[in-house]
Amino acid sequence: MVTQDYWIRLWVSSTDDAGGQVLAVPPARGTHYIPALLLLPLPKPAAVEAAAEGQAHRSATYWLGMYMAISIAAIAFEVGRQLYIYAGAVRASRRLHERLLQAVVHATPRFFDTTPLGRIINRFSRDMQTVDESAMETLLECMCDGLATLTVVAIIAAAAPAFLVVAAAIALAFAGIVWYYLNTSREVKRLESTSMSPLLSLFGELILGVSSIRAFGAKHYYMREALNRIDAHNRAYYAVWATTRWLSVRIEAAAAC
């Protein structure tokens, strides 16, 4: 994406040098920082300045062709990266599941006496779902956003070195907010995961003893117990999303300031 932005910047500069019309290229969807990058007076290397006269006489076909080639290369790189990362994620999930299954199958009877059934089910269902769906996607977004941020900061700093002072202040503000959030969200997420185990245990008991429950007319008791455990889990789940919204509001407010 940065290469595409820089190529458009060269195109606009060459058009300005030639005294021609500037072709307005709308930014791609989701690239809200492109207009700011296009307006920055980026320092030109000596080789670029030497070739400015030659670039001024390039045709629009040349600039569009190179831009299309860069776009195709970016798409190919993105597809290859996604395939490589998610193929690795599938292998990692399969390996973790096999190790978990082997550990449970070869566990001693004492393990099953001291460990609730719901906790075991939670490891195979909820935790494996997190590993399969959320872990790799979150890691990929973190890496991409981090690299994009460093690249944009480097480009802006090259044009306006004084921006590094502001960037340092912004980074400290973000670090303080995130540190405060992590200390709370870690415990809240642990509470949410723990509250799921009793609910899964109850469902397992209901499936095994449904005939006895119906015979003794204890359906209403177990329905109330199930609703109480669902409420307990929803309270923790609501707290998780409340902390996430707290972080989002503070981060956006700090960025706006």
Side-chain angles (χ1 to χ4, degrees):
M1 184 59 64
V2 175
T3 306
Q4 294 172 326
D5 301 341
Y6 185 70
W7 185 255
I8 295 177
R9 180 69 178 87
L10 293 179
W11 187 359
V12 174
S13 299
S14 66
T15 306
D16 292 340
D17 295 338
Q21 298 294 328
V22 178
L23 177 61
V25 181
R29 183 179 180 182
T31 56
H32 55 277
Y33 56 84
I34 288 182
L37 292 180
L38 294 180
L39 295 176
L40 289 175
L42 298 178
K44 294 184 179 180
V48 176
E49 292 181 354
E53 295 181 359
Q55 290 178 352
H57 299 288
R58 301 284 188 179
S59 63
T61 304
Y62 167 78
W63 295 105
L64 287 174
M66 289 299 298
Y67 185 82
M68 184 178 296
I70 295 173
S71 301
I72 294 175
I75 294 173
F77 175 78
E78 180 66 21
V79 171
R81 185 187 64 174
Q82 295 286 345
L83 291 176
Y84 176 77
I85 290 178
Y86 283 103
V90 170
R91 290 194 301 269
S93 300
R94 185 180 294 114
R95 189 170 303 174
L96 286 174
H97 185 271
E98 291 176 355
R99 293 175 59 183
L100 179 62
L101 182 61
Q102 290 293 329
V104 173
V105 169
H106 295 88
T108 60
R110 179 180 175 81
F111 170 79
F112 294 100
D113 291 338
T114 58
T115 305
L117 179 61
R119 187 177 302 173
I120 300 176
I121 298 176
N122 195 18
R123 295 297 175 268
F124 278 97
S125 58
R126 187 71 177 276
D127 292 352
M128 289 305 304
Q129 179 184 5
T130 301
V131 174
D132 292 339
E133 298 178 359
S134 303
M136 184 53 63
E137 183 177 356
T138 303
L139 179 61
L140 179 61
E141 291 180 357
C142 181
M143 294 173 59
C144 294
D145 292 344
L147 291 175
T149 301
L150 291 177
T151 305
V152 172
V153 169
I155 293 176
I156 298 177
F163 174 76
L164 292 177
V165 179
V166 181
I170 295 175
L172 290 176
F174 284 170
I177 295 173
V178 171
W179 179 82
Y180 189 82
Y181 162 78
L182 289 177
N183 290 334
T184 304
S185 65
R186 187 184 302 111
E187 300 302 326
V188 173
K189 289 182 179 179
R190 183 179 292 115
L191 180 63
E192 189 265 341
S193 178
T194 304
S195 64
M196 175 62 74
S197 298
L199 183 59
L200 295 177
S201 297
L202 181 63
F203 286 160
E205 295 169 0
L206 291 176
I207 293 175
L208 294 177
V210 62
S211 57
S212 300
I213 294 173
R214 290 176 177 175
F216 288 95
K219 293 186 296 183
H220 297 289
Y221 169 78
Y222 280 99
M223 287 179 62
R224 287 197 303 270
E225 183 65 22
L227 292 176
N228 291 335
R229 297 190 184 188
I230 291 174
D231 290 340
H233 173 69
N234 284 339
R235 284 193 291 268
Y237 186 75
Y238 176 81
V240 171
W241 280 101
T243 55
T244 303
R245 290 295 88 200
W246 181 93
L247 175 66
S248 177
V249 171
R250 266 93 185 149
I251 288 293
E252 292 180 2
C257 292

